[in-house]
Amino acid sequence: EVKDGKIIVDETKLRYGKFIITADADVDGSHIRVLFLTFIWKFCPELLEKGYVYAAVPPLYKATYGTNIKYLVNDAALNEFKASMKRSFDLGRMKGLGEMDPDEMAETVMNPETRILKQITMEDAAIVAQTFMSLMGESVTPRKKFIEENSWRANIDV
């Protein structure tokens, strides 16, 4: 049912207990997540209010040492892993969900026992929506400020 431009959630008709947004771990995946979250926040905030929305946290790196594999979700996890390792390892950057083999996808994103999910709250969605509006709005100043403050995060040498 739609009321005042918002979708009203009838929990008795929901087929699943979670809506999981799954996108690549890189910047492009972040953009996709922002678009989904903005849509949900704008048209279906009740899903957020009631705790149904989650984001999968796929790995950005895959470290292999001997017969062991360690998936690392971000640069901080990579640095921690490097500091803890006493032996050599091979490191690969995960290209994205579409380029993972079925075993990698199953282990890192699909398997409830091994995947990482982040529940998205109304506060998260409000921050995303505000950021989205600042970056996509008519005023150039917020975009320029955001780029100046966050450009260090873009690792273009990878």
Side-chain angles (χ1 to χ4, degrees):
E1 177 184 348
V2 178
K3 184 177 181 182
D4 298 326
K6 305 259 190 245
I7 298 169
I8 305 303
V9 176
D10 181 350
E11 291 182 78
T12 64
K13 294 183 179 178
L14 292 178
R15 296 172 112 186
Y16 308 102
K18 293 181 176 118
F19 292 91
I20 302 172
I21 299 167
T22 306
D24 293 352
D26 61 10
V27 173
D28 292 334
S30 294
H31 293 154
I32 291 166
R33 273 188 298 282
V34 166
L35 291 172
F36 272 115
L37 290 173
T38 301
F39 175 84
I40 294 168
W41 182 76
K42 178 100 173 141
F43 296 106
C44 223
E46 198 174 348
L47 290 174
L48 292 162
E49 292 166 357
K50 294 185 176 182
Y52 286 107
V53 182
Y54 292 78
V57 183
L60 191 55
Y61 301 103
K62 178 181 178 180
T64 307
Y65 51 103
T67 59
N68 300 308
I69 294 173
K70 176 79 173 174
Y71 294 102
L72 307 160
V73 296
N74 56 30
D75 290 332
L78 173 60
N79 292 334
E80 185 177 313
F81 177 75
K82 284 179 178 178
S84 71
M85 285 303 289
K86 305 291 186 230
R87 58 176 156 162
S88 64
F89 59 92
D90 293 323
L91 183 66
R93 183 173 164 103
M94 303 296 283
K95 297 290 186 189
L97 301 177
E99 296 181 26
M100 286 184 181
D101 67 39
D103 291 336
E104 290 171 333
M105 187 72 164
E107 186 174 351
T108 63
V109 179
M110 305 302 290
N111 185 342
E113 300 295 320
T114 56
R115 70 183 178 201
I116 300 171
L117 294 181
K118 180 191 184 314
Q119 187 173 27
I120 306 299
T121 65
M122 281 299 287
E123 182 178 313
D124 295 325
I127 291 167
V128 165
Q130 178 58 44
T131 302
F132 187 76
M133 294 308 210
S134 292
L135 298 178
M136 301 300 285
E138 293 182 19
S139 177
V140 174
T141 305
R143 278 193 295 280
K144 184 177 178 184
K145 182 179 178 192
F146 181 86
I147 291 168
E148 288 171 350
E149 292 175 356
N150 293 284
S151 62
W152 65 272
R153 296 175 188 223
N155 185 354
I156 59 174
D157 296 329
V158 175

